[in-house]
Amino acid sequence: MESKRKHAWVLLGMVIAFVLCAQVLGARSAWAEPQAESNLLENVEITAGGGTFTVDLNLDDKTALVWDIKNPEAPTSISIPASFEHEGATYVTTELQFSMWDKRRNVTGLILPNTLTSVGSSSFYKFPELTEMTIPGSIKVFGGSFQNMDKLVTLTFEEGVEEIASNSMLNGCEVLTQLNLPATLKRIT
């Protein structure tokens, strides 16, 4: 009986804590500065450049973030377009944000546009069949990862890249034999 009573008190304490947290968070959001509404069109699927891409489109600054590529039916090289057309507007591709999940095994080549300014913490491991990769110089700070890409042989950073900010970026790249770094590179962090 005492065990049940103890469990009831613990449960009651958790409920009270939850209610208090909900009230504090609700009050916090009421006190927060009003945020401008985001004009972001999310999860738009567009076919272009030999592939089908899932992108987020920023309606204000007309930029596109690519976060997925549909796996092609057969092995092929994909060029990520420098821009996407959607409902009469053009969106410049400035960001990539790939996860490492859901591999795209039929993407055997991936060509990045020189309009990119950010790859965030993108994982190119999503494309395990790549043997070479070139990072355009338009990306000043590269934060992506090639971990465990066991077929990657050549990795090139073009002139313009100033920092490689990716912990263990090449861990598990057992066959990598050529790493080309630009003269513009200032830091590896």
Side-chain angles (χ1 to χ4, degrees):
M1 181 73 168
E2 188 162 324
S3 176
K4 285 184 181 181
R5 191 175 291 167
K6 189 184 257 185
H7 287 273
W9 280 110
V10 169
L11 182 60
L12 179 62
M14 290 172 60
V15 169
I16 291 171
F18 176 79
V19 170
L20 288 173
C21 285
Q23 287 177 345
V24 168
L25 290 175
R28 191 179 114 221
S29 65
W31 295 330
E33 292 290 321
Q35 298 291 319
E37 285 200 30
S38 172
N39 284 321
L40 189 65
L41 194 55
E42 297 178 317
N43 303 323
V44 178
E45 195 170 276
I46 300 175
T47 300
T52 301
F53 304 88
T54 304
V55 299
D56 291 347
L57 303 173
N58 185 314
L59 303 175
D60 292 329
D61 65 8
K62 300 291 188 234
T63 58
L65 177 148
V66 178
W67 60 269
D68 200 7
I69 299 173
K70 186 175 183 178
N71 200 32
E73 296 286 324
T76 189
S77 182
I78 302 279
S79 293
I80 297 177
S83 63
F84 291 93
E85 300 291 325
H86 183 70
E87 296 181 353
T90 301
Y91 299 86
V92 177
T93 307
T94 58
E95 295 181 68
L96 297 179
Q97 191 64 47
F98 298 125
S99 73
M100 64 185 283
W101 313 113
D102 300 323
K103 306 291 185 258
R104 302 302 183 242
R105 296 193 184 281
N106 280 340
V107 176
T108 56
L110 189 63
I111 301 165
L112 306 180
N114 64 3
T115 56
L116 288 175
T117 56
S118 173
V119 293
S121 59
S122 285
S123 176
F124 290 95
Y125 184 56
K126 183 177 202 78
F127 312 101
E129 300 302 315
L130 296 179
T131 58
E132 61 182 81
M133 190 73 214
T134 299
I135 305 304
S138 57
I139 300 171
K140 300 301 178 207
V141 178
F142 179 80
S145 176
F146 301 97
Q147 287 188 18
N148 300 312
M149 291 184 66
D150 58 4
K151 295 183 181 177
L152 187 65
V153 175
T154 304
L155 177 58
T156 301
F157 290 88
E158 290 184 338
E159 292 298 324
V161 175
E162 296 177 358
E163 181 177 353
I164 298 173
S166 182
N167 189 22
S168 303
M169 176 182 74
L170 298 172
N171 185 43
C173 294
E174 304 297 328
V175 298
L176 184 69
T177 56
Q178 188 170 358
L179 177 62
N180 302 308
L181 300 174
T184 55
L185 186 64
K186 298 175 183 174
R187 268 182 304 285
I188 298 177
T189 57

